[in-house]
Amino acid sequence: MTFTLRKNEILIDILVRLPAKSLIRFLCTCKSWSDLIGSSSFVRTHLHRNVTKHAHVYLLCLHHPQFERQNDNDDPYDIEELQWSLFSNEKFEQFSNLSHPLENTEHFRIYGSSNGLVCMSDEILNFDSPIQIWNPSVRKFRTLPMSTNINMKFSHVSLQFGFHPGVNDYKAVRMMHTNKGALAVEVYSLKTDCWKMIEVIPPWLKCTWKHHKGTFFNGVAYHIIEKGPICSIMSFDSGSEKFEEFITPDAICSPRELCIDVYKELICLIFGFYGCDEEGMDKVDLWVLQEKRWKQLCPFIFPLNHCHRTIGISIDNELIMQRRDFIKGVAYLYLCNYESKQVLETGIQLAVMRYGEIEFLFAITY
């Protein structure tokens, strides 16, 4: 009996070190292995180890196939071909392509990634856009039920997704508002597989505001919002269903140049508006939210010919930056270590998405 327990412990210790793609192959080895790998305790152990040690981490990027723009910008009927792919976080080699699980040929967008799950929907969201939560490693997905709470059309819809450790559940948060100030907020629970309408909206959100970028951390959705001349960060806890507002520092004067993400377990603002006094160099300014107050960090200074703009922060706390190539219509991806000041060129070329005057680039940690 003791020998059998010891044997199982050794087997578990080996299997938890493997990536999910390898574990899928072992499901067919024998019934005992299949039961072990599929058990909730093993899934929790494997997930905890990979998250805490940042093992088997990839960059999930949107790019052109073969990294070449194929379409003619002057031809409105020529549809641009795009591809989501996973890249190694160390050598930046292309690991695998991600195709829509429903084999949908229309462009789709990923709205969040957490513990191997991704949330995906239409490029341009509507209140009735289909939403899928997908695990590319095991090739399983769930289509979220349509909400029965919405009976009007909205001019803007935002979607965020992530894990809430406080309630041990995956949550999707959808915010919808009209040009006249009407706002609706819904929360989806993976555990209950249903949407819930948030009834109590704070008065400071019942106004005409512009939504910019956002992030999701520890079950809380954060949005950069613009209310007239005021730029602030709105937070919504998908577990307690409470809203908070944090006015941004006075130095932040243009939300279009502002990025929000997570740095060392803290909400971080990255602002790339002010130039650098050093010749041939540029900089971005950073603030982190500590005890509900903004603390300014030292600016990150980098060579002007390397990067142009920050688009996020990786799970390894590196700034994800890009440099545009307007002739090729792509953006070169860089990882920048804030502490060592090292700037690393990945060789990955991101596609540039345009919605009117707004441009988006997508590179997130998976």
Side-chain angles (χ1 to χ4, degrees):
M1 181 70 174
T2 304
F3 175 76
T4 303
L5 288 174
R6 179 60 180 162
K7 185 178 178 181
N8 284 341
E9 290 174 0
I10 295 174
L11 177 62
I12 292 172
D13 188 56
I14 294 172
L15 292 179
V16 294
R17 300 172 186 271
L18 299 178
K21 196 169 185 178
S22 299
L23 292 175
I24 298 306
R25 297 202 302 267
F26 292 141
L27 287 172
C28 303
T29 302
C30 61
K31 186 178 185 303
S32 62
W33 280 36
S34 177
D35 292 342
L36 171 63
I37 294 171
S39 67
S40 58
S41 60
F42 179 84
V43 171
R44 284 195 301 270
T45 304
H46 183 267
L47 177 60
H48 177 73
R49 182 186 186 279
N50 288 331
V51 169
T52 55
K53 293 183 177 294
H54 295 178
H56 314 307
V57 173
Y58 299 94
L59 288 171
L60 178 55
C61 303
L62 181 65
H63 63 93
H64 300 284
Q66 309 302 321
F67 300 108
E68 295 289 339
R69 176 186 283 275
Q70 303 293 334
N71 73 314
D72 181 0
N73 283 338
D74 296 328
D75 183 358
Y77 299 100
D78 190 7
I79 304 300
E80 186 175 5
E81 188 176 356
L82 300 172
Q83 174 69 55
W84 285 97
S85 296
L86 293 175
F87 293 85
S88 163
N89 198 40
E90 297 177 353
K91 297 182 179 180
F92 310 113
E93 297 171 343
Q94 192 168 352
F95 177 72
S96 65
N97 295 336
L98 300 185
S99 300
H100 197 287
L102 294 176
E103 299 182 356
N104 189 344
T105 58
E106 297 294 328
H107 289 176
F108 63 93
R109 178 177 166 185
I110 292 174
Y111 289 88
S113 170
S114 180
N115 302 333
L117 300 181
V118 296
C119 179
M120 58 199 306
S121 189
D122 296 339
E123 266 187 345
I124 301 176
L125 286 172
N126 293 308
F127 71 97
D128 58 351
S129 294
I131 302 171
Q132 282 87 30
I133 295 176
W134 179 34
N135 188 331
S137 298
V138 298
R139 298 173 184 175
K140 293 184 179 181
F141 70 96
R142 174 181 292 184
T143 298
L144 275 56
M146 297 296 292
S147 171
T148 58
N149 300 318
I150 305 300
N151 56 9
M152 62 184 296
K153 290 189 176 182
F154 293 85
S155 61
H156 181 87
V157 181
S158 66
L159 176 64
Q160 289 178 284
F161 167 79
F163 181 71
H164 196 310
V167 296
N168 192 31
D169 193 8
Y170 290 89
K171 300 279 190 173
V173 177
R174 183 164 54 183
M175 297 191 181
M176 300 155 284
H177 65 86
T178 69
N179 292 329
K180 296 182 178 180
L183 175 69
V185 179
E186 285 189 305
V187 178
Y188 169 82
S189 163
L190 185 63
K191 191 179 293 185
T192 63
D193 191 31
C194 66
W195 291 95
K196 178 183 178 182
M197 177 67 75
I198 304 303
E199 301 294 341
V200 180
I201 304 294
W204 52 268
L205 269 178
K206 295 180 179 178
C207 61
T208 301
W209 52 273
K210 295 180 181 178
H211 163 267
H212 293 274
K213 302 167 187 174
T215 192
F216 195 97
F217 177 60
N218 278 347
V220 182
Y222 295 87
H223 286 273
I224 301 171
I225 62 174
E226 185 181 3
K227 301 187 295 181
I230 300 175
C231 180
S232 64
I233 305 301
M234 179 269 292
S235 73
F236 172 73
D237 190 316
S238 60
S240 66
E241 301 175 359
K242 301 297 184 182
F243 293 87
E244 284 192 88
E245 182 180 23
F246 305 96
I247 305 298
T248 57
D250 293 339
I252 295 175
C253 56
S254 172
R256 287 196 176 188
E257 305 299 327
L258 184 61
C259 176
I260 184 170
D261 215 315
V262 179
Y263 179 70
K264 293 188 174 181
E265 304 291 303
L266 296 171
I267 292 300
C268 181
L269 300 180
I270 309 108
F271 189 54
F273 182 80
Y274 300 106
C276 182
D277 294 334
E278 297 183 40
E279 186 176 354
M281 306 295 285
D282 203 352
K283 72 166 185 174
V284 291
D285 296 292
L286 298 94
W287 292 263
V288 292
L289 189 62
Q290 284 188 328
E291 299 178 353
K292 300 188 178 183
R293 293 178 178 273
W294 296 111
K295 175 185 176 181
Q296 186 166 13
L297 305 180
C298 294
F300 178 73
I301 299 174
F302 55 91
L304 186 59
N305 62 341
H306 274 54
C307 312
H308 288 169
R309 183 176 293 181
T310 308
I311 58 176
I313 299 177
S314 75
I315 196 172
D316 295 319
N317 296 308
E318 294 178 310
L319 302 182
I320 304 175
M321 305 187 75
Q322 57 91 4
R323 176 174 61 83
R324 286 292 307 276
D325 185 325
F326 292 96
I327 296 177
K328 290 186 177 181
V330 299
Y332 298 100
L333 185 66
Y334 293 79
L335 290 182
C336 306
N337 189 299
Y338 173 75
E339 295 180 343
S340 70
K341 310 302 180 186
Q342 181 183 9
V343 177
L344 181 62
E345 184 175 359
T346 67
I348 300 172
Q349 300 177 23
L350 302 177
V352 180
M353 303 289 292
R354 292 184 180 86
Y355 302 111
E357 298 179 354
I358 302 176
E359 292 184 347
F360 290 96
L361 300 102
F362 297 101
I364 59 177
T365 302
Y366 171 76

